[in-house]
Amino acid sequence: MPPAYLGEFEQLLLLAVLRLGTEAYAIDIARELDSRAGRSVSRGALYTSLDRLEDKGLVRWTAAAGGAARCGLPRRLYTVTPAGLAALRASRDTLRRMWRGVEHLLKEPSSS
Amino acid sequence: MSAARSPAPGPEAGLPPRLAAWLLRRSLPPDERGETVLGDLVEEWLSRGGTRAASRRFWRQTVSVAVRYRWRRRRQHEPATAGERNARMSFDNLRQDVRYAVRSYSKAPSFTLTILVTLALGIGASTAIFSMVNGILLRPLPLPDPDTLVYANEVNASGRERTISIAWPNYLDWRVRARSFSGLALTREEPLTMTGVDRAQRLRARRVTGNFFTVLGVSPAIGRGFVDDDDKPNAPAVALLSAGFWQSQMAGDPAAIGSVLKLDGTAYTIVGVLPAGFEYLRPYDVFVPMGTISGTANLTDRGNHNGFSALGRLKPGVTLAAADAELRGISAALEREYPNSNAAVSARTDRLADRVVDSVRLTLMALFGAVGFLLLIACVNVANLLIARGAGRQHELAVRAALGGGRARLATQLLVESTLVSGCGGALGLAVAAGLLRLLVAMAPEGTPRLAGVRLDGAALLFAFGAAAVCGIVFGALPAFQASSAGGQHALVRGRAAGFAARSHRLRRVLIAIETALALILLTGAGLMMRTLQELTQVDTGIRTDHLLTARFVLAGEQWTQARRVTFYDDLLARTAAVPGVGRAALAFSLPIDGSNWNSIFIVADKPVPERAKLPSAAFTPVSIGYFETMGMRLLRGRLFDRTETPDSAKVVVVNETLAKKLWPGEEAVGKRLKQGWPETPDHPTKPGGYFSPWREVVGVVADVKFNGVSNETPLQVYLPLVHDNPRSVALVVRSATAPSAIVPALEGIVRDLDKDLPLFQVRTMEQMLDASIARERMSMLIFVVFALVALALASVGLYGVVAHGVTERTHEIGVRMALGADSHHVLGLVVRQGLSMALVGTAIGVAGAFGLSRWIEALLFGVTATDPATFAAVVTTLLAVATIACYIPAWRATRVDPTTALRVE
């Protein structure tokens, strides 16, 4: 089966989960997206996107008990599945192929 | 740790918004998945300290989660129910209809534009006028429980009831005897001059009894209100400020309370500031109680009506009629008890809200009626256009019906189209209304009540879209019904469609007749208003109104003794006459057009004294030497005042022609004697300081001048020399050789020079005064004329459309006629005749309608009757002339039809 096609936001989500390691839950993911990608995203969009990635088999989660900071309500801790990793890799390769030979047209990315 | 269903409250933070949490629960899956989302939101809310901002964020996130989850669930997990499927289908249909409508409208831009402009004009104009009516007439007064507030006044009941204002002793008796009111206050407008500041200033002030604000139910924002003790003679002088005055003059400084304001020479202590936005009849700067004037002989004389009116609060359950009857009863009792002073004095009570808008109600209602007609014309025009379009689309609709479009579905489609266009028309109309309303408010005559409250508000929005909806549904339904009832397959056969076309054409002709009738009614209104204004501007005022400047000043306070006042008058006149550009200058107590400041009964020496209720009354006007010459008045007999008038000279008067004719018909008035006041008023001083009124000899008769606006009849008038009667409030009149405005600075300088605490106010030319006196008529005329022209334009465009459409449809017939030898005159006559027949029917209906309806504006007319034949004739001629042109253009085009081309069409 070929790796799943990823939208840009899906890529960002998967990368955020990867970066956070084993402690990735919604609040941290949102914070990561905000601080690193400059993407402020509504909770509705975040949860439904994560659910979509789950439906595609690219992430999975386990429930962890919550502390007093959230009145004892559980947390969802996300990890990226092997299929998710494969999809990310495929996306990166596609992008690389497309970038090759056009970098000089866009000059230094840091100059803007 | 257990996963609690409900988040336990944090120690200090309390709970996240309960309603939001409930909403969130309902939208989330009822398992651990949902719990985690709730947990995340709660955690964030707690970490942000549970503040208001955090709660707002909680709400935002909840809504976003709820919306997304519901949407997702509907798409993925749960199959739609049958009801949902139906709803979705009709929604899809609707979307399709809207898209189709947009497409078909944009394919016919000129048609669409015509409809939109028509609707925008109709809805815009009516919404603007509605906003005026709503803001001025309908919206309750911004006072507590305004429905139980009443306005009472004393009237002279002999003949037509004439308001004469309330005598103080009568008010005191009302207050004791009346049972209808929980409170009854007395008040009058009393402008005061503020001195002791950089530049003396005329303030808008009102004198009120101590219970006034209690009756209104208004308490000061800071400080104390008035109490009954403030009305007692020798009570400390106190004042209440309006919030606006306090802000502008004292920068809203709370320390103003307790400070002193010098008004008309008396020191008033400021005791409070009224709430912002408070108004009684109109805005005021300052309110003062009765204290400083109570106990004066002028006030305690039961025969003196000093300009006061009463404000009452009805007790619960008491009707206006009952209160009115009670005050009339008390007045009748007082008349029996004090026959000398109270002869023919009765009372009249109105709702305060009605009294406030009394002056404009009729005008506004007439305008509202007129704009209603305009809206109706716009609607009829739109219906007409839609029907024409429907007829043109007959084939398209038939095809759609044949392909399975149900009748209801097609009708819906047409309804959607008309609703869409009327919705857009409504939105455009609102924009037009906003602009028009700003113009109307800017143009509104000075003194229009409650203008500040006029704005485009929710009610106006409702009105505009209500009007649009009615337009769209009623007038869109007509063509929709027409089209859908045509029946599918019949219209596919071209020949059968003729029946429908004929039917729709008949309907359009009826609509055109209606439109013409409505336009004629509006034109008649406009015509009558134009005649009124024309009559008003042509009234002979009896004075030369050009190059005449007027201004008022008041010599208030103890320091202005009689002798000082006379000296001041002389100095002022001498210095004014010396100003370059000044021809003549004079002083007067009251001015023409402006109205009388002193009305009094009088008796004449050589006639039997009539019973008290029938004593004649005249406007008494002290004037300086040179007044008649300055105003350009004509002397009819005898002489005018001259230098022989000194404080000690014989008491003389000049009367106007009306008085001379009324009192001495067929006799020489000069040489006769009259005495102002009651028959028993002494003609010489009987006690020091006591009031007396000497006999005065008539030395001259002058031609009448318009004294109370230009439309009111000239009252009986008596002019007295200013040296004999020297009032404190005086108007300066200056006849100039140059533009009157150029000498204003010089005059202000002279008055300031003479007394730095004396402001000149109401500085205006006689022409401005005249303009102001007919401003309301001018504005109604202008609005009526604009409405009528728009109506005429709409009606003629409609007529043109129908005739042109008829010509197009009959191209074949016309071609045949011409091929058979009909000449172009014949064709021209044929088409014009058929078009004009509609206009004629409409005109006939319109004349009948205008005849019936113009009575409603009779009270707004002057110098012309509501059924003035000349106006009706002019209006009918105008309308038919325009209609003829509207018919002629397509008729002329019909004569250009080339018979061979026309015949080849088949």
Side-chain angles (χ1 to χ4, degrees):
Chain A
M1 193 176 100
Y5 166 76
L6 290 179
E8 191 226 5
F9 185 57
E10 287 172 329
Q11 284 187 47
L12 293 180
L13 269 181
L14 285 175
L15 289 170
V17 174
L18 271 183
R19 299 185 69 85
L20 290 166
T22 53
E23 283 293 296
Y25 78 116
I27 293 180
D28 283 344
I29 294 170
R31 204 173 288 140
E32 189 73 10
L33 283 174
D34 192 24
S35 64
R36 234 166 239 290
R39 286 284 281 269
S40 158
V41 55
S42 83
R43 274 314 124 88
L46 182 68
Y47 291 120
T48 47
S49 299
L50 285 170
D51 286 359
R52 198 165 58 239
L53 290 178
E54 183 192 345
D55 291 347
K56 289 183 182 176
L58 305 181
V59 294
R60 63 166 164 260
W61 56 271
T62 51
R70 48 195 284 130
C71 299
L73 290 160
R75 284 191 297 177
R76 253 188 268 179
L77 294 179
Y78 281 93
T79 45
V80 180
T81 61
L85 288 172
L88 269 177
R89 240 176 251 124
S91 293
R92 188 191 58 196
D93 294 347
T94 310
L95 281 175
R96 274 197 183 142
R97 277 197 301 279
M98 291 305 287
W99 271 101
R100 201 161 296 149
V102 292
E103 270 107 342
H104 70 282
L105 292 176
L106 288 120
K107 297 277 188 261
E108 282 290 293
S110 59
S111 69
S112 59
Chain B
M1 205 173 273
S2 73
R5 274 305 285 176
S6 176
E12 307 93 6
L15 280 167
R18 292 249 296 269
L19 189 63
W22 175 84
L23 178 70
L24 195 62
R25 277 246 164 72
R26 288 214 20 134
S27 341
L28 290 171
D31 53 15
E32 199 169 38
R33 191 186 282 268
E35 295 291 299
T36 58
V37 174
L38 182 59
D40 285 349
L41 294 195
V42 168
E43 182 180 334
E44 277 193 304
W45 182 78
L46 283 175
S47 72
R48 283 163 191 266
T51 58
R52 268 206 140 138
S55 294
R56 270 202 299 278
R57 191 183 145 86
F58 189 90
W59 259 111
R60 245 190 346 262
Q61 305 288 25
T62 298
V63 169
S64 99
V65 167
V67 169
R68 290 281 187 147
Y69 263 88
R70 295 214 146 197
W71 185 60
R72 191 174 142 83
R73 194 167 57 200
R74 192 140 30 134
R75 292 195 114 195
Q76 293 191 334
H77 299 298
E78 294 161 22
T81 63
E84 273 179 338
R85 247 197 327 272
N86 267 347
R88 206 174 301 160
M89 201 161 99
S90 43
F91 184 74
D92 284 346
N93 280 345
L94 191 68
R95 222 169 34 188
Q96 227 172 52
D97 284 350
V98 170
R99 213 178 309 155
Y100 186 80
V102 169
R103 215 165 40 218
S104 74
Y105 278 126
S106 51
K107 258 192 268 172
S110 61
F111 165 82
T112 309
L113 197 69
T114 315
I115 287 198
L116 286 182
V117 168
T118 307
L119 278 176
L121 281 177
I123 293 175
S126 52
T127 305
I129 297 288
F130 169 79
S131 297
M132 296 278 280
V133 170
N134 184 42
I136 295 175
L137 297 186
L138 302 183
R139 204 177 296 145
L141 291 180
L143 292 168
D145 201 3
D147 280 346
T148 58
L149 285 175
V150 297
Y151 174 95
N153 215 324
E154 282 189 329
V155 293
N156 185 317
S158 67
R160 202 169 50 87
E161 267 188 12
R162 192 162 45 83
T163 305
I164 53 174
S165 82
I166 304 172
W168 173 250
N170 288 346
Y171 159 72
L172 293 179
D173 286 330
W174 284 9
R175 204 168 155 177
V176 172
R177 301 184 195 184
R179 294 279 163 270
S180 301
F181 309 97
S182 59
L184 191 62
L186 199 70
T187 166
R188 77 171 173 202
E189 183 167 275
E190 190 179 322
L192 297 168
T193 302
M194 175 171 69
T195 53
V197 286
D198 283 351
R199 194 159 181 172
Q201 204 182 331
R202 193 74 179 155
L203 300 188
R204 299 172 300 177
R206 215 173 165 92
R207 193 174 289 277
V208 299
T209 49
N211 61 347
F212 178 77
F213 291 101
T214 320
V215 172
L216 275 181
V218 171
S219 2
I222 51 174
R224 74 162 173 98
F226 294 149
V227 291
D228 282 341
D229 280 348
D230 289 326
D231 289 342
K232 293 197 172 135
N234 303 323
V238 292
L240 275 169
L241 305 183
S242 75
F245 182 77
W246 179 57
Q247 288 294 345
S248 65
Q249 298 285 321
M250 287 146 191
D253 181 7
I257 307 292
S259 67
V260 165
L261 210 57
K262 203 155 187 208
L263 302 173
D264 275 8
T266 306
Y268 287 82
T269 307
I270 298 169
V271 292
V273 177
L274 291 162
F278 170 77
E279 270 185 28
Y280 179 73
L281 302 180
R282 62 182 66 92
Y284 287 98
D285 299 320
V286 57
F287 290 82
V288 296
M290 300 295 293
T292 39
I293 59 165
S294 60
T296 56
N298 183 29
L299 196 68
T300 50
D301 185 334
R302 204 176 276 273
N304 280 354
H305 297 259
N306 283 316
F308 289 104
S309 61
L311 165 79
R313 172 76 76 182
L314 293 178
K315 274 186 187 158
V318 177
T319 63
L320 177 68
D324 187 51
E326 187 185 28
L327 283 187
R328 282 176 192 272
I330 295 172
S331 294
L334 289 173
E335 188 176 349
R336 284 190 297 276
E337 291 164 41
Y338 307 98
N340 280 351
S341 57
N342 282 31
V345 172
S346 188
R348 184 196 154 97
T349 312
D350 294 298
R351 223 164 268 292
L352 179 67
D354 292 342
R355 163 71 201 181
V356 171
V357 298
D358 206 25
S359 56
V360 293
R361 175 191 309 280
L362 222 79
T363 309
L364 275 178
M365 288 324 286
L367 290 180
F368 197 44
V371 88
F373 279 110
L374 187 67
L375 183 61
L376 216 53
I377 291 175
C379 286
V380 172
N381 224 13
V382 170
N384 217 327
L385 287 164
L386 288 175
I387 291 175
R389 186 156 171 275
R393 287 169 66 191
Q394 192 53 35
H395 191 70
E396 171 215 326
L397 291 174
V399 170
R400 293 185 59 178
L403 292 178
R407 198 169 136 166
R409 181 79 177 77
L410 286 186
T412 316
Q413 157 82 56
L414 291 173
L415 265 181
V416 165
E417 287 185 11
S418 61
T419 309
L420 182 74
V421 82
S422 57
C424 291
L428 279 177
L430 266 183
V432 171
L436 203 57
L437 193 61
R438 204 168 311 154
L439 197 71
L440 284 174
V441 169
M443 268 172 49
E446 209 184 305
T448 305
R450 307 191 67 191
L451 211 53
V454 171
R455 57 178 182 272
L456 221 53
D457 58 1
L461 212 73
L462 216 63
F463 179 89
F465 282 104
V470 170
C471 267
I473 291 161
V474 176
F475 293 89
L478 216 60
F481 179 73
Q482 270 250 323
S484 65
S485 67
Q489 67 279 31
H490 293 304
L492 276 177
V493 188
R494 277 205 80 190
R496 297 267 180 99
F500 170 77
R503 222 173 335 130
S504 89
H505 204 65
R506 214 158 35 235
L507 183 59
R508 292 189 65 193
R509 292 168 65 89
V510 171
L511 288 178
I512 286 298
I514 294 175
E515 215 176 330
T516 316
L518 292 173
L520 187 118
I521 292 174
L522 268 186
L523 275 173
T524 309
L528 291 172
M529 293 290 190
M530 277 167 81
R531 283 293 310 278
T532 295
L533 199 73
Q534 190 188 15
E535 294 288 330
L536 283 175
T537 48
Q538 280 175 1
V539 164
D540 179 14
T541 56
I543 54 173
R544 261 185 58 207
T545 53
D546 61 296
H547 291 92
L548 196 58
L549 186 73
T550 75
R552 294 198 76 95
F553 60 89
V554 177
L555 306 178
E558 296 293 310
Q559 75 275 28
W560 287 104
T561 58
Q562 188 160 332
R564 270 197 69 194
R565 296 206 290 271
V566 174
T567 318
F568 182 86
Y569 300 150
D570 286 344
D571 290 350
L572 178 62
L573 284 182
R575 291 219 203 173
T576 305
V579 172
V582 167
R584 289 173 180 277
L587 301 170
F589 184 52
S590 311
L591 287 177
I593 312 301
D594 203 28
S596 171
N597 294 322
W598 181 17
N599 292 310
S600 172
I601 39 171
F602 66 98
I603 54 169
V604 294
D606 59 331
K607 295 271 151 82
V609 174
E611 59 171 294
R612 296 188 79 88
K614 300 229 166 77
L615 285 170
S617 168
F620 280 75
T621 315
V623 299
S624 73
I625 296 161
Y627 171 76
F628 303 104
E629 295 89 335
T630 309
M631 302 302 278
M633 289 164 63
R634 277 184 305 128
L635 174 70
L636 299 179
R637 278 184 299 281
R639 68 171 179 89
L640 299 174
F641 299 140
D642 55 31
R643 292 277 156 212
T644 56
E645 264 70 60
T646 63
D648 305 318
S649 66
K651 301 293 182 275
V652 295
V653 295
V654 167
V655 298
N656 71 348
E657 198 180 355
T658 299
L659 188 144
K661 278 190 180 150
K662 173 105 186 272
L663 271 297
W664 299 289
E667 292 176 62
E668 178 54 73
V670 174
K672 298 287 194 307
R673 291 190 309 146
L674 60 79
K675 190 185 78 167
Q676 176 267 328
W678 297 108
E680 69 278 7
T681 307
D683 58 4
H684 57 276
T686 47
K687 58 181 183 215
Y691 187 75
F692 72 98
S693 173
W695 284 97
R696 306 171 203 245
E697 189 185 328
V698 177
V699 294
V701 179
V702 290
D704 283 346
V705 297
K706 289 290 171 190
F707 218 65
N708 222 332
V710 288
S711 53
N712 288 314
E713 275 178 41
T714 300
L716 309 189
Q717 267 192 278
V718 178
Y719 297 94
L720 327 165
L722 202 64
V723 285
H724 292 164
D725 256 275
N726 21 61
R728 292 170 180 274
S729 165
V730 185
L732 173 67
V733 287
V734 178
R735 167 85 53 197
S736 67
T738 55
S741 55
I743 53 173
V744 173
L747 292 187
E748 281 174 342
I750 291 172
V751 173
R752 220 183 6 258
D753 242 25
L754 287 170
D755 187 319
K756 71 170 180 59
D757 284 341
L758 212 60
L760 268 187
F761 56 93
Q762 290 177 14
V763 182
R764 54 203 169 151
T765 65
M766 193 42 95
E767 273 164 352
Q768 286 169 335
M769 213 138 95
L770 269 173
D771 273 353
S773 78
I774 57 170
R776 185 157 297 141
E777 286 83 354
R778 191 189 301 277
M779 173 146 164
S780 345
M781 191 274 298
L782 215 69
I783 297 174
F784 253 96
V785 167
V786 170
F787 286 178
L789 288 181
V790 173
L792 186 63
L794 289 180
S796 47
V797 166
L799 184 61
Y800 168 85
V802 171
V803 174
H805 189 73
V807 167
T808 317
E809 279 190 341
R810 294 169 62 190
T811 310
H812 179 68
E813 178 205 328
I814 293 170
V816 170
R817 280 173 187 265
M818 291 181 76
L820 292 178
D823 62 1
S824 56
H825 279 99
H826 176 79
V827 172
L828 201 69
L830 185 78
V831 176
V832 169
R833 226 175 10 255
Q834 293 208 339
L836 271 188
S837 66
M838 292 179 257
L840 276 174
V841 171
T843 306
I845 301 171
V847 167
F851 205 77
L853 285 172
S854 60
R855 272 157 231 287
W856 288 93
I857 58 168
E858 192 144 38
L860 296 175
L861 303 179
F862 172 78
V864 56
T865 61
T867 53
D868 179 47
T871 307
F872 272 74
V875 164
V876 169
T877 314
T878 312
L879 187 80
L880 288 182
V882 173
T884 310
I885 296 170
C887 297
Y888 189 86
I889 300 169
W892 180 79
R893 262 202 231 130
T895 64
R896 304 284 106 179
V897 169
D898 177 4
T900 50
T901 321
L903 290 176
R904 212 175 292 136
V905 170
E906 276 297 282

